[in-house]
Amino acid sequence: MDCNCEFNQATKCSIIFIIGMIILTTIVLIVILSNQNQQKDILTAIAVQGDNTQQGTTTIKFSQNDIVVGNALTHEEGSDAITINETGIYQISYQLFGIKEGAGSFNFNAVLSANDVPIDSTFNDGPVLEDLVNNRITLTSTVILRLNSGDTLKLLGVSIEDIEYQKARIDIEKID
């Protein structure tokens, strides 16, 4: 009788172990499949010296797409426009390097525009530098915007002075 009781106890333990493994495997599969459905949408575009020869106030052209993941964003290399293909919330970071040869006052600002309308809340006011021989600065910013499918996003350098925008980078990720 003791043997039969030990056999039942071992059988019960085995069944509990198997059920536990099935539950654990199910949870792991659900987590993996949930994460696979969350596709990233990222665009990184870069402007190098020679891409933006217009001085003063201008939209920034990006000649290189460094990272393109997903379908929510598109950019034609050499263009100043980034097309939003999916409505959502986007995190946008940029760097804009400006230089002016010679002495005198130096100031430029940056702003993002959607559909060629500047977004006031993204205006990045650069410092005013006076009487420096090598006037150069990099403006950086990160913003989160709600954008709609079909919107066109642009980065603008804003200045009344002869600023040359030698380098720029924009990183955009759809976060929701």
Side-chain angles (χ1 to χ4, degrees):
M1 193 135 185
D2 281 272
C3 184
N4 198 12
C5 195
E6 288 177 19
F7 176 76
N8 286 336
Q9 188 68 12
T11 302
K12 288 178 186 177
C13 288
S14 295
I15 290 172
I16 291 172
F17 178 75
I18 290 171
I19 291 172
M21 291 304 293
I22 290 171
I23 291 171
L24 181 62
T25 303
T26 303
I27 291 170
V28 168
L29 285 174
I30 289 170
V31 169
I32 290 172
L33 292 175
S34 295
N35 288 338
Q36 285 180 343
N37 291 336
Q38 296 176 357
Q39 176 188 353
K40 297 287 185 185
D41 291 287
I42 299 170
L43 172 70
T44 296
I46 298 172
V48 297
Q49 190 167 354
D51 286 351
N52 296 288
T53 56
Q54 183 176 339
Q55 296 181 342
T57 298
T58 187
T59 58
I60 305 301
K61 295 178 179 78
F62 298 95
S63 64
Q64 301 172 14
N65 290 337
D66 193 37
I67 300 171
V68 180
V69 177
N71 299 314
L73 302 151
T74 53
H75 172 256
E76 183 179 326
E77 290 182 336
S79 169
D80 61 358
I82 296 166
T83 303
I84 307 302
N85 299 320
E86 295 178 13
T87 297
I89 298 173
Y90 291 82
Q91 179 172 304
I92 304 157
S93 299
Y94 67 82
Q95 302 165 352
L96 180 59
F97 175 76
I99 187 168
K100 177 183 175 190
E101 296 299 328
S105 66
F106 172 78
N107 173 255
F108 77 93
N109 310 295
V111 67
L112 293 168
S113 72
N115 305 316
D116 294 319
V117 177
I119 304 168
D120 289 338
S121 64
T122 68
F123 191 79
N124 188 351
D125 195 11
V128 177
L129 304 175
E130 303 253 356
D131 299 324
L132 298 174
V133 176
N134 291 319
N135 292 320
R136 60 188 74 218
I137 196 165
T138 300
L139 294 180
T140 63
S141 184
T142 299
V143 297
I144 296 176
L145 297 175
R146 181 180 307 278
L147 298 168
N148 297 311
S149 178
D151 283 350
T152 310
L153 187 70
K154 295 180 181 180
L155 174 63
L156 287 80
V158 180
S159 181
I160 60 171
E161 298 167 19
D162 294 332
I163 307 300
E164 181 182 337
Y165 304 103
Q166 291 187 347
K167 295 184 275 182
R169 175 186 176 111
I170 191 163
D171 300 286
I172 307 170
E173 180 178 0
K174 184 174 187 250
I175 57 175
D176 187 29

